[in-house]
Amino acid sequence: MNDNTPTSTQAGHAPTMGQRLGYILGRTQPEDLHPWVVNDVTGPGATRRYATRCLIPLVPILAGLMFIPGPWIIRISMVLLLFLPFVYFLFALKSIYLRHRLVSHGLDPELLNTHKKQRLAQERDSYESRYRRTQ
C-alpha cells in the first residue's frame, strides 16, 4: 500500500446519482471518489448495504413465484428454496465480493481487514495491560 492510498477515515465527497447508480451496477468510480468507495466497502453499515444491493433484484422473482397457481404451502416452499440458499451464499461470499470491489477500483484489498486488525490490536493491548508481567 502506498502513502496516498485512501483510508476509511478520510472524508471524500459523495458521488452524483448517476455515479452511484453506475457503482451499484458494477462500474468503477473516478480516483477522487476512492475514499467514498473504501468507506462504502469497509465502513459502518457495509454489510447492510451489500445485502440490500443483492437482495433487491431477487424480490420481483420471489414475488412472481407467489402468483403460480397451487396451494400456499407449495408457493411458500418455492420461495424459501430460493431465498434461504441465496442468503447463505450471499454472506458466505461477502468478503470475496467486497475484496473484488476494492481491487476493481485499484485499491489495496487488505483495506477490508483494517477494522479486524484494529480490533485485534485493541484486544492484544488490553490483554497485555492486564496480564503482562513486569520484570
Side-chain angles (χ1 to χ4, degrees), residues 96-116:
I96 294 170
Y97 177 75
L98 294 179
R99 191 173 307 277
H100 165 73
R101 291 300 291 229
L102 289 172
V103 169
S104 69
H105 283 85
L107 299 167
D108 184 13
E110 286 301 312
L111 289 171
L112 199 56
N113 299 326
T114 55
H115 294 293
K116 182 178 179 181

Side-chain angles (χ1 to χ4, degrees), residues 49-117:
R49 288 188 298 273
Y50 164 73
T52 303
R53 289 175 185 153
C54 292
L55 288 174
I56 286 177
L58 186 66
V59 170
I61 296 168
L62 297 179
L65 288 175
M66 296 306 287
F67 292 110
I68 292 177
W72 278 101
I73 191 73
I74 300 295
R75 296 180 203 179
I76 292 171
S77 298
M78 285 188 303
V79 168
L80 288 177
L81 276 173
L82 284 175
F83 182 73
L84 293 177
F86 185 84
V87 170
Y88 173 79
F89 284 107
L90 175 80
F91 287 108
L93 299 173
K94 179 187 108 170
S95 64
I96 294 170
Y97 177 75
L98 294 179
R99 191 173 307 277
H100 165 73
R101 291 300 291 229
L102 289 172
V103 169
S104 69
H105 283 85
L107 299 167
D108 184 13
E110 286 301 312
L111 289 171
L112 199 56
N113 299 326
T114 55
H115 294 293
K116 182 178 179 181
K117 287 179 182 178

Side-chain angles (χ1 to χ4, degrees), residues 6-72:
T7 62
S8 60
T9 57
Q10 294 174 338
H13 64 281
T16 64
M17 189 59 77
Q19 288 173 325
R20 190 179 300 252
L21 182 61
Y23 176 76
I24 290 171
L25 295 175
R27 282 192 172 154
T28 58
Q29 296 295 323
E31 274 195 41
D32 61 330
L33 288 174
H34 282 180
W36 180 85
V37 171
V38 170
N39 187 49
D40 181 65
V41 173
T42 65
T47 301
R48 178 183 40 84
R49 288 188 298 273
Y50 164 73
T52 303
R53 289 175 185 153
C54 292
L55 288 174
I56 286 177
L58 186 66
V59 170
I61 296 168
L62 297 179
L65 288 175
M66 296 306 287
F67 292 110
I68 292 177
W72 278 101

